[in-house]
Amino acid sequence: MEPGKFGPVLGRILGALLLVLLVAGVARAAYWLLAPLVPAVVVLIVLGAVYWIVFRGFRRR
């Protein structure tokens, strides 16, 4: 093998690993921040659907 051949390859592998870890960290932080909001959003959607059915009714064509 040529000397220094693994330098660019190793750098690209480490760069890709860093990118994957960064994306995983951001996804985990977003989940940590948004997870408490999910029950409230589900409740609002269900209440909106109940309101729509009770006050608007089903429209049949």
Side-chain angles (χ1 to χ4, degrees), residues 5-26:
K5 186 174 182 181
F6 288 111
V9 175
L10 186 59
R12 290 185 73 146
I13 290 173
L14 289 176
L17 180 63
L18 181 65
L19 181 63
V20 167
L21 290 175
L22 184 64
V23 169
V26 169

Side-chain angles (χ1 to χ4, degrees), residues 30-51:
Y31 174 77
W32 179 69
L33 290 171
L34 296 176
L37 298 177
V38 170
V41 170
V42 170
V43 166
L44 288 175
I45 291 172
V46 168
L47 288 176
V50 168
Y51 168 82

Side-chain angles (χ1 to χ4, degrees), residues 44-59:
L44 288 175
I45 291 172
V46 168
L47 288 176
V50 168
Y51 168 82
W52 190 265
I53 292 171
V54 169
F55 292 108
R56 300 285 183 168
F58 290 111
R59 293 186 180 177

